[in-house]
Amino acid sequence: MIGVGSLGQHHARLYAALPEAHLVAVVDRDGDRARLVGSRHGVPGFGDLTELPDDLEAVSVAVPTVAHAEVTEVCLARGLAVLVEKPMAPSVSEAESMAAAAIKAGRLLLVGHTERFNPAYRAVAPRLRDPRFIEAHRLGVFSARSTDIDVVLDLMIHDLDLVLTLVRAEVAAIDSVGVNALTDKVDIANARLRFENGAVANLTASRISTDRVRKLRIFESNAYLSLDYAEQSAVVYTLKREGGARPEIVRDDVVVNREEPLAVELRAFLTQIRGGGSEGVSAREGLRALRIAIRILEQIG
């Protein structure tokens, strides 16, 4: 585990607990932090990735975004499979370099878009057919974490990944706005995406809210879905028509088997390393979401 800050420590915790994995070591540029987290799980902690032992198959990378490309490419060149946290990189050129490095090394590279593995989303995804309008709200209270990047790369990119997965068409137009509030980066943003097939997505992300909100609403012909990522709950409303009777709206509370999304994601990564399954956000998909995020930021200016 490389990078054991607020998120990386949870990767380490889960790897130590998952029967599919054997946690070997943790690394952090703060050596004391690395040793502290390592001691929790009975593994050594190092201040530099060059100190990692040889008996490795894979790494998770949760260092600051600006270091994603450098760390990931070093690990790929060493012959390791890599799961790198989102966003894939701070720039498209760096992400493209990472994807090329994975191909050259012949090693697996996945991107940590954890909401793909949220049990609520996984429970409703098979029901979706042709989304026409999608609305997402992802609001968080202010934290010094990830203020090295804009809120579009920090939070909105989760929903961009999901929307680009759900809508099977290219983005035709983007209309976005953003505000710098507490940092020199964009802290709150809204983006409206129009797709070539006519679908529309309206995404709002903020890291200066008084409440934490992570919700998604999807509208299809004769159906409406409401999903709460935090609560891991989902409801589907469908329009029922029978004969000449008056149309009726039917509510269906979706059964969700609750689980920590990060644990689901890490198991999928481990399964792919072993040559099984195909779940996981590929480098191509991570790059796709990043390209749209960068377009949004460029439009905000």
Side-chain angles (χ1 to χ4, degrees), residues 211-222:
D211 300 305
R212 289 184 174 89
V213 177
R214 288 160 53 203
K215 294 186 177 182
L216 181 72
R217 296 192 298 167
I218 302 171
F219 296 83
E220 297 185 314
S221 178
N222 298 327

Side-chain angles (χ1 to χ4, degrees), residues 229-243:
Y229 292 109
E231 296 294 329
Q232 293 192 15
S233 62
V235 180
V236 176
Y237 298 90
T238 55
L239 188 63
K240 181 180 179 182
R241 293 188 177 94
E242 289 188 354

Side-chain angles (χ1 to χ4, degrees), residues 87 89-93 150 152-153 157 160 174 176 287-301:
S91 69
V92 171
S93 61
D150 297 273
V152 175
L153 294 180
I157 199 162
L160 285 172
I174 299 174
S176 53
L287 184 52
R288 177 185 63 180
L290 181 64
R291 285 195 176 104
I292 300 300
I294 295 299
R295 285 176 60 183
I296 291 170
L297 287 172
E298 288 175 346
Q299 190 176 85
I300 290 173

Side-chain angles (χ1 to χ4, degrees), residues 14-24 266-267 270 274:
L14 290 166
Y15 279 131
L18 288 171
E20 300 93 333
H22 173 59
L23 182 64
V24 174
L266 297 187
R267 278 203 303 270
L270 296 167
R274 296 286 187 262

